Amino acid sequence: VAHAPATLRRVVETLPLLQNALLAPFRFISDTCQIGQRWTLFSTTGGIRYRLWIEAHDRHRKRWALLYRAQDPEHRFMSRLLEYRRVMNGWNPSRRGAKQSYEPFAVWISRSVLAGDAHFDRVRVRMERVQILERGAGVATLGDFAFTIQHGREVLR
Amino acid sequence: VIARWVAFWDRREAPTSLALARILVGLALLADLLQAKCVGAVELIWAAPPQGMAWGALSEPSSLAARWLGTSPHSAELLWALAVTCTLLFLFGALYRVSSLLLWITLCQTSRFLPEVDAIDQLLRLVVPILALSGANASCSIDAWLRRKRGTPYPAAVPAWPRYLLILQLCWMYFSAAHNRGDAAWYPQGGFSAVANVMSDPHFGRFAPGTFRSVYPLTQLGTAATMLFEGSAPLMLLWLWLDWPASDGRNERGGKLGQVTRRWRVRWVWMALGTALHLGIAVTMRLGIFPFGMLALYPIFVHPEELLRAKARLTKR
């Protein structure tokens, strides 16, 4: 658009405004029913992605225990629940980052872990950053984490 | 022109395709709701924080469900029970108009509770009201059975416009998905690597990242086929028109193009490609009911006459 002739640029920039004005009387429908007609299915792939880790801190051993990690057959704590599509949609970050349901999810999983095991005094939920490799070769860890949330026993109150 | 436009939208046809779509959509929804219960997710997804993650339940203005049922774990169970009941009634075509409209309201309410949902949820919120207003309950339903028993059966032909609208909706969804893809990985310049990338995603891939490395060219083919399939979705309207079953069995629409389309069964090839892609997604990716929910709508691409002819052929054998 930046290189287009001025007239064409004005038309292109005006069209969304016109569309918004025309659709304004019907906006309540899309807001109430949460519907739209813009379908973005895997519009971006590759690059940097995430891998969910859920860990609990053992108050006696003073170390973190890995409970669940995506794509890790040895750490499958509550995996059927966590991988159910509606739950996964809540914690899986989008292109714009962590979703609004990520924090309540972290609170909920922390409460579940801490209420079920008195040995643990803290729960940590975080996303390992990974790079998707070329030609379907898998992923390479970037060695750091994003969206780390930690809760202690205060969440049980 | 106006008279032809009105006549087009006022066409009637047997309810078979719509009824089949109703049953399959109902089954997909029911499977999803039962899975939510089996994995113990009901309270998590539909109770307000901190007992759940449904942050939308606390947003203002509050939704009908939040006002009437509440936002506690107990009300989440109630919401689930309501959704299952409506889905069962919808599936079996019982009290159809009321139950399907209630189902639609329930789907909208659950999406207010947890707005971060799949494309399939949004599609179902668009599809269910269209099916609700259609004659999808005029066949293979409890309503139809009761009406027959009472001696007041549904008419043999119901309005065809809901099927046409659903066709437009599905074609638009595919086409919109294709043209919203700015990522080079979906195109030749990105090496058609998109499907391999998605299958390597630790959250979406069903198998460990790198599992499909040895069949990478197949995943490239999958990417190209996906773009071809979705990008060509508007052409389905042309294939449908050219392949319209004529009452006398002699379809001469579209001249040479029509002949080629019918001889090579282009419409069926397109549907087979879509089916293969969705089944491929179901096997290799974790997307819940998405592939099944999409396939549940494929009967709308088949004219009811074709379904009835296939049924007659099968029962003859």
Side-chain angles (χ1 to χ4, degrees):
Chain A
V1 177
H3 304 291
T7 318
L8 187 61
R9 205 164 56 232
R10 267 200 299 279
V11 170
V12 170
E13 285 165 357
T14 311
L15 277 176
L17 301 175
L18 184 66
Q19 186 191 29
N20 281 339
L22 287 172
L23 292 176
F26 308 102
R27 184 126 311 123
F28 75 97
I29 300 175
S30 61
D31 291 347
T32 309
C33 306
Q34 303 272 320
I35 51 173
Q37 286 292 355
R38 189 165 182 269
W39 303 92
T40 49
L41 311 172
F42 292 114
S43 51
T44 59
T45 66
I48 293 170
R49 300 279 140 172
Y50 301 98
R51 189 183 190 194
L52 175 67
W53 289 46
I54 296 172
E55 299 154 292
H57 188 261
D58 190 317
R59 71 168 98 192
H60 302 301
R61 294 181 186 174
K62 306 257 184 266
R63 61 173 192 169
W64 288 96
L66 181 59
L67 303 180
Y68 172 88
R69 182 164 54 181
Q71 292 289 358
D72 182 347
E74 287 175 13
H75 299 96
R76 307 290 297 151
F77 174 76
M78 292 178 106
S79 60
R80 286 181 66 218
L81 168 68
L82 296 174
E83 289 166 6
Y84 170 58
R85 70 173 187 104
R86 290 176 194 263
V87 177
M88 193 177 95
N89 262 322
W91 54 255
N92 188 30
S94 72
R95 281 172 294 159
R96 292 178 288 274
K99 293 173 190 161
Q100 208 161 336
S101 45
Y102 183 63
E103 168 71 42
F105 164 75
V107 170
W108 184 88
I109 196 77
S110 301
R111 285 165 60 96
S112 300
V113 173
L114 296 172
D117 197 327
H119 290 104
F120 297 133
D121 60 354
R122 273 175 289 159
V123 170
R124 186 164 66 188
V125 182
R126 53 186 183 160
M127 295 282 170
E128 179 187 10
R129 294 194 333 128
V130 298
Q131 171 79 45
I132 303 277
L133 299 175
E134 287 185 5
R135 303 188 67 79
V139 294
T141 180
L142 294 173
D144 58 358
F145 292 83
F147 315 127
T148 302
I149 296 178
Q150 194 170 304
H151 287 293
R153 290 206 153 257
E154 73 282 353
V155 287
L156 291 175
R157 275 181 235 135
Chain B
V1 174
I2 292 172
R4 286 177 72 177
W5 173 258
V6 172
F8 174 77
W9 288 105
D10 198 31
R11 281 181 185 171
R12 311 269 148 163
E13 62 184 21
T16 327
S17 305
L18 286 166
L20 192 53
R22 182 202 86 224
I23 292 167
L24 294 175
V25 166
L27 280 173
L29 256 172
L30 187 65
D32 183 52
L33 290 168
L34 292 179
Q35 191 189 0
K37 187 72 178 171
C38 287
V39 301
V42 173
E43 293 179 10
L44 172 58
I45 56 177
W46 290 333
Q51 285 106 340
M53 61 198 271
W55 59 272
L58 301 176
S59 61
E60 290 293 335
S62 56
S63 62
L64 285 179
R67 260 178 280 160
W68 291 352
L69 301 176
T71 59
S72 67
H74 178 66
S75 54
E77 295 288 348
L78 273 177
L79 195 56
W80 178 85
L82 181 66
V84 169
T85 308
C86 294
T87 305
L88 280 169
L89 292 171
F90 175 84
L91 168 61
F92 290 108
L95 301 169
Y96 185 65
R97 294 257 191 267
V98 177
S99 63
S100 48
L101 283 172
L102 251 177
L103 173 63
W104 177 58
I105 292 168
T106 311
L107 292 177
C108 293
Q109 293 300 304
T110 55
S111 74
R112 293 279 302 274
F113 273 41
L114 189 62
E116 288 104 354
V117 287
D118 282 337
I120 193 65
D121 295 300
Q122 195 184 166
L123 182 69
L124 291 176
R125 285 196 297 279
L126 288 158
V127 161
V128 168
I130 299 175
L131 283 172
L133 296 172
S134 77
N137 63 329
S139 174
C140 308
S141 72
I142 291 176
D143 284 352
W145 178 72
L146 285 173
R147 292 276 296 252
R148 269 199 310 276
K149 238 182 142 188
R150 271 189 256 138
T152 53
Y154 284 115
V158 298
W161 64 261
R163 191 170 74 88
Y164 300 165
L165 265 188
L166 291 174
I167 289 171
L168 283 175
Q169 177 61 70
L170 219 53
C171 289
W172 170 253
M173 183 185 177
Y174 281 132
F175 186 61
S176 172
H179 77 68
N180 270 309
R181 288 192 179 125
D183 185 0
W186 286 102
Y187 301 94
Q189 66 267 30
F192 286 126
S193 56
V195 167
N197 289 345
V198 177
M199 291 198 312
S200 291
D201 188 305
H203 294 162
F204 289 120
R206 192 175 291 283
F207 301 97
T211 302
F212 295 96
R213 184 183 197 167
S214 57
V215 290
Y216 180 66
L218 275 183
T219 65
Q220 287 178 295
L221 190 66
T223 307
T226 303
M227 287 306 282
L228 175 71
F229 170 76
E230 295 185 344
S232 67
L235 287 174
M236 186 58 169
L237 303 177
L238 178 64
W239 312 142
L240 278 162
W241 182 75
L242 292 172
D243 208 3
W244 200 271
S247 50
D248 58 357
R250 289 178 56 193
N251 185 352
E252 290 171 357
R253 276 180 172 174
K256 190 99 178 152
L257 178 66
Q259 281 174 22
V260 172
T261 303
R262 289 185 289 276
R263 189 182 308 142
W264 290 95
R265 295 180 180 272
V266 175
R267 177 169 57 110
W268 293 95
V269 168
W270 189 85
M271 282 195 284
L273 183 57
T275 306
L277 291 173
H278 284 304
L279 291 179
I281 287 173
V283 171
T284 59
M285 297 174 199
R286 278 204 196 101
L287 292 179
I289 59 160
F290 173 75
F292 306 107
M294 295 298 293
L295 289 175
L297 289 165
Y298 273 38
I300 60 162
F301 290 125
V302 184
H303 196 281
E305 293 303 321
E306 293 173 304
L307 284 175
L308 291 172
R309 276 205 295 267
K311 186 185 166 192
R313 245 178 280 147
L314 283 172
T315 46
K316 226 182 211 176
R317 282 180 196 168

